[in-house]
Amino acid sequence: MEKLINEFSIGLFFWQLVLFVGLVLLLRKFAWKPILDAVEKREEGIKDALDSAEKAKLDMENLQADNEKLLKEARMEREAMLKEARDIKSKMIEDAKEEAQDQANKMIQQAQAAIEGEKKSAMAELKNHVAGLSIEIAEKVIREELSNKDKQVDLVESMLAETTLN
Amino acid sequence: MEIPSIVGAGLIVIGAGLGIGRIGGQAMEAIARQPEASGKIQTAMLIAAALIEGIGFAALFAA
Amino acid sequence: MRRKISLKPITLLLFLITFASFAKEGHSDGEPKSDIKTEIKEYIQHHLKDSYDFSLYSYTNDQGEHVYIGAPLPVILWDNGLQVFWSSKFHHGETVAEVDGNYYKSYHGKIYKTDASGTITYDDHHHPTNAKPLDLSITKNVFTIILVGLLMLYMFSSMAKSYRKGALPKGMGRLLEPIVLYIRDDIAIPNIGKKHYKRYMSFLLTIFFFIWIINLLGLTPLGVNVTNNIAVTLALALLTFFITNFTANKNYWGHIFWMPGVPWPMKIVLAPIELLGIFIKPFSLLIRLYANITAGHIVLMSIIGLMFIFKNWLGSSLSFGLAFALSLLELLVAALQAYIFTMLSALYFGSAVEEHHDH
């Protein structure tokens, strides 16, 4: 211990103290402050970048989910529209068919009615014609038949005979 | 009877050596048990060893 | 891969050069060759001491004269006025320096005021009784401190500049940045806390790199040896002491004078112990650094000295191997001591600014 105190050099102590304090102050100004600031800035930058990347990823995911949802909705809408169209189409066809049927039926009926009418009138005309003709014929026949007496008698006789027969 | 100071110095070295050895050994065991805490154990080990060393040196100079 | 391999021979070469220069030094000093043990002992003593000139090595030439390779450094004395002269005036302690009618002699690493013939008187304990002027010389150690300071200024200011061009450092900064970040993230923040650590960063970073670089310089063949001076470690520890106590908050002083959570008779007992602790903590810092480096240098140089004592191939090569292994250990110790000094300083700062919390 005595040797230590004996060897203690005040000059060295003084210089060490002064030089070291000077070194700390100089290094703080010219080295440590800029270095630590730069490192801190860099670390903050890295942290920010990571944060924003994470955020972007999240946004991306949200966007993707939104897209998916939109797509799904669109698909559903399309489906619905298609279905509706199909329905409308079939309904239209159905309606058209029905209407056509109705129309056809109506036309057939009309036609039938017309035919019936025609037929009736034709029949009536034919009847009339036939009646006229028969009357004419009968007139002619009767005239012929009744031109002579014998014949008249015969006829009466035959008619009478017929009648009695009935 | 005067005991030469070199004997005292030897005793100090034995004591400090045992102490630091024990710290080192225990730290090894602790690291083996919990390798994930090795950094903290190392720091604590160095501080403890340094403190014993300091006392040892102080005594050596007194001797 | 190739680079890794090629590094090893370079390291080996460096060590060889170190030993070679040590060896040269070991051989010198001109004492009679018979007593090589005393010579080595004296050489180690001399190596551990500060000196007034930057001598790389010295030898005795054929004419029996001491030849010193190195440069003189300025001597600054305060002796009723400032006296500045080059240390070459001492002629390595062999002559008396005469400045403005005052005579000075360097004796065992100290400067004493003498008469013209350089007489030194001794007391009973063989201590010189001559007057000692206040000595503020730029000695070898002071010169090394200045050198390391300039080196650090250059290194770290160029590192700081490289950040201006981009977010990543260039050149030396790439090597230094992880260490700076390690000190911030693993020493300062865990011990001091996120809130206060910034105030202490400059001191912690400076002291770490300063001790480390200066310890490493001590292992080079330059033969400088700064941290084995108690004056140097005292100055460093004193700074830690002052910073701790000047930045301490109420909680810290409360813990010292009136330890919370213990019965009052214990508080009275604890107060002086804690008060003593304030001084013991930095004291252990200064002793630890001093003793570790001194012990390392003594052991390393003794083993290197063994090579010259053995003078046979087996013993010499064995001690060479041992010295090599020890040099590697000293490299580790150089960093470890810097780490521990920084770590403990951070711990003390942390206790000074610790916020109140319930036990």
Side-chain angles (χ1 to χ4, degrees):
Chain A
M1 207 70 190
E2 195 202 354
K3 194 171 145 256
L4 275 187
I5 293 165
N6 227 3
E7 272 178 11
F8 186 83
S9 157
I10 293 174
L12 189 56
F13 173 74
F14 168 78
W15 283 116
Q16 169 66 32
L17 209 61
V18 169
L19 289 173
F20 190 80
V21 170
L23 187 64
V24 171
L25 294 177
L26 279 176
L27 278 177
R28 179 165 70 182
K29 184 159 190 295
F30 292 111
W32 304 135
K33 238 186 157 66
I35 289 173
L36 290 174
D37 284 352
V39 168
E40 211 157 286
K41 215 171 115 196
R42 192 183 63 198
E43 276 167 0
E44 239 157 62
I46 291 169
K47 198 167 154 280
D48 284 354
L50 281 177
D51 280 354
S52 60
E54 189 68 22
K55 207 168 148 261
K57 208 176 127 198
L58 220 73
D59 281 355
M60 200 65 170
E61 263 165 29
N62 280 343
L63 208 70
Q64 224 153 12
D66 277 0
N67 274 352
E68 201 88 349
K69 215 173 115 201
L70 272 175
L71 211 67
K72 219 167 163 188
E73 265 172 25
R75 212 174 288 142
M76 262 161 67
E77 210 165 326
R78 195 191 67 184
E79 213 108 300
M81 270 165 79
L82 272 175
K83 198 163 165 270
E84 208 176 338
R86 225 176 287 133
D87 283 358
I88 289 172
K89 185 189 83 178
S90 50
K91 198 165 167 267
M92 266 167 82
I93 292 170
E94 205 78 8
D95 283 359
K97 260 190 196 159
E98 228 164 82
E99 212 172 319
Q101 197 70 39
D102 281 1
Q103 203 83 20
N105 284 351
K106 225 174 172 181
M107 272 165 79
I108 290 166
Q109 256 171 3
Q110 269 176 357
Q112 271 171 344
I115 291 166
E116 203 65 28
E118 288 296 313
K119 206 171 101 185
K120 267 184 190 159
S121 62
M123 282 292 246
E125 211 174 309
L126 202 65
K127 260 185 202 161
N128 285 342
H129 202 65
V130 169
L133 267 176
S134 356
I135 292 169
E136 227 172 277
I137 293 166
E139 219 179 57
K140 274 182 188 158
V141 169
I142 292 169
R143 209 169 278 150
E144 198 95 1
E145 288 294 307
L146 297 180
S147 47
N148 54 20
K149 202 110 177 184
D150 298 340
K151 275 189 183 176
Q152 279 172 3
V153 175
D154 282 351
L155 184 64
V156 172
E157 270 175 8
S158 73
M159 275 181 156
L160 280 171
E162 264 170 41
T163 317
T164 38
L165 270 171
N166 280 345
Chain B
M1 199 180 77
E2 184 104 357
I3 299 170
S5 62
I6 193 85
V7 176
L11 286 174
I12 294 158
V13 170
I14 289 171
L18 280 177
I20 293 175
R22 204 171 141 67
I23 290 169
Q26 296 280 328
M28 286 292 154
E29 271 180 32
I31 290 172
R33 210 173 296 136
Q34 277 176 293
E36 69 277 1
S38 62
K40 276 186 175 175
I41 294 168
Q42 253 166 21
T43 312
M45 177 188 82
L46 280 178
I47 290 170
L51 290 175
I52 290 181
E53 200 188 40
I55 293 168
F57 278 128
L60 265 184
F61 283 114
Chain C
M1 203 55 198
R2 188 177 289 167
R3 196 179 269 177
K4 242 183 194 169
I5 291 167
S6 70
L7 250 172
K8 276 178 193 161
I10 289 173
T11 336
L12 198 67
L13 202 70
L14 270 175
F15 275 106
L16 283 176
I17 291 167
T18 312
F19 293 144
S21 69
F22 272 145
K24 232 175 202 168
E25 284 178 276
H27 241 312
S28 61
D29 269 45
E31 300 291 322
K33 290 271 189 280
S34 55
D35 200 358
I36 197 161
K37 273 188 201 172
T38 340
E39 190 190 320
I40 287 169
K41 218 171 188 174
E42 265 173 17
Y43 183 75
I44 293 171
Q45 285 295 323
H46 174 75
H47 167 79
L48 292 176
K49 265 198 192 127
D50 205 352
S51 72
Y52 287 97
D53 48 357
F54 205 102
S55 56
L56 288 171
Y57 63 94
S58 62
Y59 61 95
T60 313
N61 63 11
D62 299 338
Q63 282 82 45
E65 288 171 336
H66 286 242
V67 178
Y68 294 86
I69 305 295
L73 292 167
V75 175
I76 302 166
L77 298 176
W78 184 263
D79 182 27
N80 299 321
L82 203 60
Q83 310 275 16
V84 182
F85 52 93
W86 288 101
S87 68
S88 48
K89 278 199 173 181
F90 287 129
H91 294 99
H92 308 281
E94 285 159 9
T95 59
V96 178
E98 189 255 311
V99 188
D100 298 340
N102 291 314
Y103 297 95
Y104 302 103
K105 188 164 168 60
S106 118
Y107 176 76
H108 279 274
K110 295 238 182 281
I111 292 176
Y112 297 96
K113 209 171 172 185
T114 62
D115 53 16
S117 57
T119 327
I120 287 181
T121 51
Y122 303 98
D123 63 2
D124 301 342
H125 299 284
H126 200 73
H127 289 292
T129 51
N130 291 47
K132 275 196 283 183
L134 182 59
D135 181 2
L136 297 178
S137 308
I138 308 293
T139 58
K140 191 175 177 180
N141 284 340
V142 177
F143 183 73
T144 313
I145 292 165
I146 295 172
L147 215 66
V148 170
L150 291 178
L151 182 72
M152 280 175 73
L153 268 179
Y154 169 71
M155 266 162 55
F156 290 106
S157 60
S158 66
M159 178 185 171
K161 253 181 225 144
S162 75
Y163 279 104
R164 251 181 252 158
K165 284 167 207 140
L168 286 173
K170 292 211 170 49
M172 213 158 11
R174 290 199 186 177
L175 182 76
L176 296 171
E177 198 201 75
I179 306 174
V180 172
L181 288 184
Y182 177 79
I183 291 171
R184 192 192 63 172
D185 297 335
D186 287 284
I187 294 181
I189 293 179
N191 285 312
I192 302 175
K194 256 198 151 52
K195 199 172 156 193
H196 297 288
Y197 82 93
K198 272 189 189 157
R199 269 198 289 169
Y200 301 106
M201 275 313 281
S202 301
F203 179 75
L204 292 175
L205 284 167
T206 315
I207 207 155
F208 177 80
F209 284 106
F210 181 79
I211 296 176
W212 192 24
I213 293 171
I214 221 152
N215 281 349
L216 286 179
L217 267 186
L219 294 173
T220 59
L222 288 175
V224 290
N225 204 350
V226 181
T227 33
N228 81 340
N229 286 280
I230 203 95
V232 172
T233 57
L234 174 69
L236 295 177
L238 214 60
L239 285 172
T240 300
F241 172 77
F242 281 135
I243 294 174
T244 310
N245 290 299
F246 285 154
T247 59
N249 59 13
K250 240 191 243 164
N251 192 32
Y252 170 79
W253 294 114
H255 269 256
I256 284 165
F257 291 116
W258 210 240
M259 178 72 82
V262 292
W264 72 266
M266 278 301 286
K267 288 185 185 181
I268 292 173
V269 176
L270 276 176
I273 297 174
E274 289 280 334
L275 198 62
L276 207 60
I278 299 179
F279 300 100
I280 288 177
K281 280 173 183 173
F283 182 72
S284 74
L285 272 185
L286 82 94
I287 290 292
R288 177 176 308 109
L289 182 57
Y290 162 79
N292 267 299
I293 302 303
T294 311
H297 275 257
I298 291 176
V299 173
L300 192 55
M301 294 195 71
S302 303
I303 288 171
I304 292 167
L306 275 183
M307 279 188 241
F308 302 98
I309 292 174
F310 278 129
K311 280 201 174 142
N312 61 38
W313 67 269
L314 184 67
S316 292
S317 50
L318 264 179
S319 46
F320 176 82
L322 204 59
F324 181 73
L326 221 77
S327 298
L328 292 181
L329 186 73
E330 282 302 304
L331 280 180
L332 176 72
V333 167
L336 192 69
Q337 289 308 316
Y339 169 73
I340 286 186
F341 200 107
T342 315
M343 178 84 198
L344 288 176
S345 292
L347 200 71
Y348 300 156
F349 297 157
S351 74
V353 294
E354 198 178 7
E355 304 287 321
H356 178 73
H357 57 84
D358 296 313
H359 288 278

